[in-house]
Amino acid sequence: MVILETKRLLLRELEPEDRKDLAEILQDPQVMYAYEHEFTDADVQAWLDRQLERYRRDGFGLWAVVRRDTGEMVGQAGLTLQPYRDSQVLEVGYLLKRRHWHQGYAAEAAEGCKRYAFEQLGQRAVYSVIKADNAASIRVAERIGMEKADEFITQYFNGDMLHFLYRVERAEE
């Protein structure tokens, strides 16, 4: 099911058949360096299952990012509820296959997700939680109008890590 469209991309719900494309993303150490964790086949399946559960529970999650012209899945992007301090924030997240980096797909998909959060979900603000040394993700967040709102420590697989919270508010009409 197509969730949203941009100039070059379609974002649709992930399906079990997307497992191979998802593995190409999640099992590429360069793509996943910010996680500092090796993803096994079981981890890939758990990731996919988590998105399918998010669709049922929340009505959104990370979606397949597909080129309109070729139908190729280039990555995933979407909206997820993420822990932040003692609450949750609605995060715009994005991960692309390495061969599709530096073509503007991440920012285009993230912009579409931001618009979806504002226009379809009625959110007043959206966020991105970004590991402090992830310069590429910071650039994407800034390209879609986000600004750094906070710095905090969160725990991942390999311990405590400095993260930045980026935020953008919906323009008042």
Side-chain angles (χ1 to χ4, degrees):
M1 175 168 87
V2 173
I3 305 299
L4 65 97
E5 299 181 28
T6 68
K7 182 178 179 182
R8 300 179 296 164
L9 305 170
L10 300 173
L11 276 69
R12 63 163 173 77
E13 289 186 354
L14 287 163
E15 302 167 347
E17 297 77 24
D18 294 320
R19 192 176 184 289
K20 182 180 175 202
D21 285 304
L22 198 53
E24 185 178 341
I25 298 165
L26 299 177
Q27 293 180 326
D28 183 330
Q30 286 184 280
V31 172
M32 301 302 291
Y33 85 93
Y35 285 78
E36 295 186 8
H37 169 73
E38 297 288 324
F39 279 73
T40 66
D41 289 342
D43 292 331
V44 172
Q45 186 62 52
W47 185 286
L48 177 58
D49 292 344
R50 192 165 43 257
Q51 302 323 309
L52 300 177
E53 174 58 28
R54 283 175 168 152
Y55 303 155
R56 286 189 290 276
R57 184 187 65 228
D58 303 328
F60 51 82
L62 294 174
W63 300 306
V65 176
V66 178
R67 283 180 48 170
R68 292 171 70 119
D69 61 348
T70 66
E72 179 185 4
M73 183 175 159
V74 299
Q76 60 178 339
L79 301 164
T80 58
L81 295 170
Q82 294 295 325
Y84 166 67
R85 300 205 184 268
D86 294 328
S87 64
Q88 287 187 323
V89 295
L90 184 63
E91 179 184 45
V92 174
Y94 34 86
L95 284 168
L96 297 183
K97 293 177 181 177
R98 189 165 15 113
R99 69 177 182 269
H100 296 289
W101 288 0
H102 309 297
Q103 298 175 49
Y105 293 138
E108 185 174 332
E111 177 67 29
C113 292
K114 177 184 83 170
R115 279 195 333 268
Y116 184 90
F118 292 159
E119 296 169 8
Q120 304 301 315
L121 301 179
Q123 296 295 305
R124 294 177 44 87
V126 292
Y127 303 82
S128 283
V129 177
I130 303 172
K131 192 169 170 242
D133 65 354
N134 191 341
S137 284
I138 290 169
R139 282 192 301 275
V140 170
E142 290 173 345
R143 279 186 65 189
I144 68 164
M146 290 186 166
E147 296 179 351
K148 188 166 86 169
D150 197 8
E151 297 182 10
F152 63 101
I153 302 292
T154 192
Q155 191 167 56
Y156 270 46
F157 296 99
N158 290 336
D160 292 343
M161 296 182 196
L162 178 63
H163 279 71
F164 298 148
L165 182 74
Y166 274 74
R167 171 189 168 115
V168 64
E169 291 187 17
R170 180 179 63 208
E172 295 300 322
E173 298 174 8

